[in-house]
Amino acid sequence: MKIKAAVLWERRTPLRVEDVDIADPAPGEARVKILASGVCHSDLHHIRRETAFVPPLVLGHEGAGVVESVGEGVTRVRPGDRVIIAFGQKCGECYFCLRGQHHLCAAPGPSTVRLRHGDQALTPLLAVGSFAEYANIDARNLVPIPDEMPLDRAALIACGVTTGLGAVIKTARVEPGASVAVIGIGGVGLNVVQGAALAGAARIIAVDLVDRKLELARAFGATHTVNAGREDPVAAVQRLTGGWGADYAFEVIGHPATIRQAYDMVRKGGTAVVVGLADVADEVAIPAADLMRSGKTLVGCFYGSVSPYVDIPRYVDLYLNQRIKLDELISRRFALDEINEAFRAMDAGEVARGVVVFE
Ligand code: APR
Ligand code: ZN
Ligand code: ZN
């Protein structure tokens, strides 16, 4: 079948919307008509940086849509089902999946070619590739959602919401009354802020360079804000926590310097959580004696430690019962052929989240 897809032919060049061929779904796969796909900073990361995903690529990993057809042996979803697409592999059988750590699944990526442009195979990012009208997806990654869940807001749950809420609830397990600092108030960081509010954190300190982001953070539950361009964020967080430092700090950007800030701004015995995706070659220096004496925890958080079939329906339910905000996260909607503008707007800090919508 011929479909339109935004292709990254070469890093650091604009995406091009092309007519590409999508295969029939292989055994175990379903073909999903994509209706919405959020634009996440890690898509931009694959445009700009050298990563394991080598162009030509179809980016997009924050998608939702409707199942159009299924391959052999698929029982989990049926045509017509509305679904959120979990990215990466989720085999259900490996060492990690058996322990409920589906975000760490060790299964290899898809073995079939799903997308072609002429003779050229195109790789879908994170086994999704949702900047396209259709995507073939391993059915084990598809989470059905109820009819009343709007698909543009559902798409956000595929990455940003699940990553942000999960970092607080699943990875760090923030407890009521805690003090929390969040560095980087983008589409993901806003979800860390609202996750902290949901967990009952008493003090939520948002740190960013852009005042507009800090205002948004307040609307999502931040009690204090710090503009790191005007004030040293470590000193500010210490000042706002009685001199001790925060119980938890979340780095939601992906820079060694801000990871170090997160480590420095937690109190003794506190926990710093790395949510942002840094370059593969980046390293972070941590003072070794301080790590030992302070009893701090430095922990990584991939994909909000998600177990998709347990957590994604919960996050949908939280939205449907007005316990989390998703409407306010979507600042702009874009057509597929406006994809480069969507990346520009995100990079310029103009949006909380931009979403590509189809039809
Ligand atoms: N200090 C404070 N804030 C900063 C700094 C800094 N030094 N540098 C950038 N920021 C802010 C930006 O102003 C922006 O508000 O970080 C935010 C990043 O937001 P987005 O571009 O919307 O990125 P997002 O999609 O939220 O992803 C952030 O989380 O899961 C990861 O892969 C994702 O690495 C990415 C990170
Ligand atoms: Zn993402
Ligand atoms: Zn697995």
Side-chain angles (χ1 to χ4, degrees), residues 123-141:
T123 304
L125 181 68
L126 292 161
V128 180
S130 49
F131 296 146
E133 291 173 319
Y134 289 83
N136 288 354
I137 308 287
D138 188 319
R140 294 173 295 194
N141 285 35

Side-chain angles (χ1 to χ4, degrees), residues 323-342:
R323 305 295 307 278
I324 56 169
K325 295 184 201 302
L326 300 185
D327 304 353
E328 297 81 351
L329 270 179
I330 304 181
S331 324
R332 274 177 78 183
R333 291 175 174 77
F334 299 90
L336 184 61
D337 59 14
E338 297 171 312
I339 185 73
N340 294 301
E341 165 62 10

Side-chain angles (χ1 to χ4, degrees), residues 40 42 61 159 353:
C40 176
S42 45
H61 63 280
C159 176
R353 209 41 145 197

Side-chain angles (χ1 to χ4, degrees), residues 32-39 60-66 83-87 128-131 137 141-143 145 151-152 154-159 303 312 355-356 358:
V32 178
K33 181 174 170 55
I34 305 294
L35 289 168
S37 181
V39 181
H61 63 280
E62 194 176 80
V66 176
V83 290
I84 288 174
I85 304 168
F87 64 74
V128 180
S130 49
F131 296 146
I137 308 287
N141 285 35
L142 297 177
V143 183
I145 55 172
L151 283 165
D152 53 356
L156 305 182
I157 296 177
C159 176
Y303 204 175
I312 288 179
V355 179
V356 175
F358 297 78

Side-chain angles (χ1 to χ4, degrees), residues 191-239:
N191 284 295
V192 175
V193 170
Q194 70 172 335
L198 196 63
R203 199 167 274 255
I204 303 173
I205 306 163
V207 181
D208 203 287
L209 300 169
V210 180
D211 286 330
R212 201 169 40 240
K213 300 294 188 116
L214 297 174
E215 279 162 38
L216 265 171
R218 291 224 181 237
F220 278 71
T223 57
H224 300 77
T225 59
V226 174
N227 186 317
R230 292 200 291 269
E231 200 180 351
D232 170 31
V234 174
V237 167
Q238 273 159 355
R239 175 174 52 77

Side-chain angles (χ1 to χ4, degrees), residues 31-321:
R31 188 151 68 197
V32 178
K33 181 174 170 55
I34 305 294
L35 289 168
S37 181
V39 181
C40 176
H41 210 106
S42 45
D43 293 302
L44 188 57
H45 190 87
H46 293 280
I47 296 177
R48 289 195 173 148
R49 312 287 182 192
E50 302 308 313
T51 71
F53 285 92
V54 178
L57 290 170
V58 175
L59 302 177
H61 63 280
E62 194 176 80
V66 176
V67 174
E68 179 247 7
S69 58
V70 297
E72 207 184 298
V74 171
T75 53
R76 193 165 240 173
V77 291
R78 285 184 300 198
D81 283 356
R82 297 149 54 79
V83 290
I84 288 174
I85 304 168
F87 64 74
Q89 277 58 247
K90 311 273 171 274
C91 78
E93 292 165 11
C94 72
Y95 182 94
F96 302 100
C97 286
L98 287 173
R99 284 160 178 77
Q101 295 174 309
H102 293 79
H103 59 296
L104 303 177
C105 178
S111 57
T112 52
V113 173
R114 295 171 172 177
L115 298 166
R116 282 181 198 282
H117 181 267
D119 295 336
Q120 176 73 59
L122 309 172
T123 304
L125 181 68
L126 292 161
V128 180
S130 49
F131 296 146
E133 291 173 319
Y134 289 83
N136 288 354
I137 308 287
D138 188 319
R140 294 173 295 194
N141 285 35
L142 297 177
V143 183
I145 55 172
D147 285 347
E148 60 267 32
M149 184 68 200
L151 283 165
D152 53 356
R153 276 139 280 179
L156 305 182
I157 296 177
C159 176
V161 172
T162 293
T163 300
L165 293 184
V168 176
I169 297 166
K170 299 207 65 186
T171 310
R173 296 169 190 258
V174 169
E175 70 284 1
S179 57
V180 172
V182 185
I183 315 176
I185 309 296
V188 181
L190 278 170
N191 284 295
V192 175
V193 170
Q194 70 172 335
L198 196 63
R203 199 167 274 255
I204 303 173
I205 306 163
V207 181
D208 203 287
L209 300 169
V210 180
D211 286 330
R212 201 169 40 240
K213 300 294 188 116
L214 297 174
E215 279 162 38
L216 265 171
R218 291 224 181 237
F220 278 71
T223 57
H224 300 77
T225 59
V226 174
N227 186 317
R230 292 200 291 269
E231 200 180 351
D232 170 31
V234 174
V237 167
Q238 273 159 355
R239 175 174 52 77
L240 291 167
T241 52
W244 299 113
D247 297 324
Y248 300 90
F250 294 83
E251 197 275 359
V252 204
I253 304 164
H255 290 157
T258 41
I259 292 170
R260 177 62 195 268
Q261 286 172 0
Y263 176 84
D264 287 339
M265 67 175 58
V266 295
R267 60 161 171 85
K268 285 197 244 179
T271 300
V273 185
V274 178
V275 184
L277 171 66
D279 277 11
V280 275
D282 282 342
E283 296 195 353
V284 185
I286 298 295
D290 179 76
L291 176 62
M292 183 272 198
R293 283 203 204 97
S294 70
K296 290 183 184 181
T297 300
L298 178 64
V299 63
C301 169
F302 181 56
Y303 204 175
S305 306
V306 71
S307 275
Y309 271 76
V310 177
D311 300 321
I312 288 179
R314 287 185 177 175
Y315 301 152
V316 169
D317 214 27
L318 282 169
Y319 170 74
L320 291 175
N321 290 297

